[in-house]
Amino acid sequence: QVQLVESGGGLVQAGGSLRLSCAASGRTLVAYNWGWFRQAPGKEREFVAAIGWPDYSTKYAYSVQGRFTISRDNAKNTGYLQMNSLKPEDTAVYYCAQPRRFSAVPGTSQSDYDYWGQGTQVTVSS
């Protein structure tokens, strides 16, 4: 069973930065694809960013383009989401995810992913 453990969330002022990390472990060889989603209070879970494998294509939600960057360190089996110029509307629980199989096309739907992190809270104060 693959387990994804997230870290890096917290409280930050508007305009600040955070880097979320998601470490994968388990007995199953997994793809190096990564996806990030978020869910604000009272809102549906929405797509944030994704990266493909073995290609390096990335996709971002329009709301985070130019501010967030998705990356990975394959040697560490870890995915990252660098968040800059944070806004109060970025406040949400952020979830990392991985599919069972690799895909060159980054998935933007929850159904594209099989393994999910526990979520980490990001709060941006105004």
Side-chain angles (χ1 to χ4, degrees):
Q1 179 67 41
V2 173
Q3 297 179 347
L4 305 181
V5 180
E6 302 179 37
S7 61
L11 175 65
V12 65
Q13 291 183 316
S17 299
L18 286 173
R19 188 179 74 159
L20 305 183
S21 299
C22 188
S25 64
R27 297 180 295 275
T28 304
L29 178 65
V30 301
Y32 294 122
N33 297 72
W34 287 97
W36 289 91
F37 296 76
R38 67 186 182 187
Q39 187 168 19
K43 307 287 288 187
E44 296 292 320
R45 188 173 299 184
E46 65 177 354
F47 168 76
V48 176
I51 187 167
W53 182 264
D55 292 348
Y56 292 89
S57 297
T58 58
K59 292 184 179 178
Y60 296 94
Y62 176 81
S63 60
V64 306
Q65 287 180 359
R67 299 187 298 119
F68 290 11
T69 302
I70 186 171
S71 63
R72 58 177 171 237
D73 186 335
N74 291 343
K76 296 181 179 179
N77 288 328
T78 300
Y80 303 96
L81 184 68
Q82 178 68 44
M83 306 183 296
N84 298 327
S85 302
L86 283 162
K87 305 175 181 179
E89 51 263 45
D90 294 318
T91 295
V93 176
Y94 284 71
Y95 299 88
C96 62
Q98 283 197 292
R100 186 175 296 110
R101 301 285 300 276
F102 70 84
S103 176
V105 179
T108 59
S109 299
Q110 294 180 59
S111 61
D112 293 326
Y113 298 92
D114 302 291
Y115 308 109
W116 291 83
Q118 81 282 3
T120 185
Q121 177 70 46
V122 172
T123 302
V124 184
S125 62
S126 60

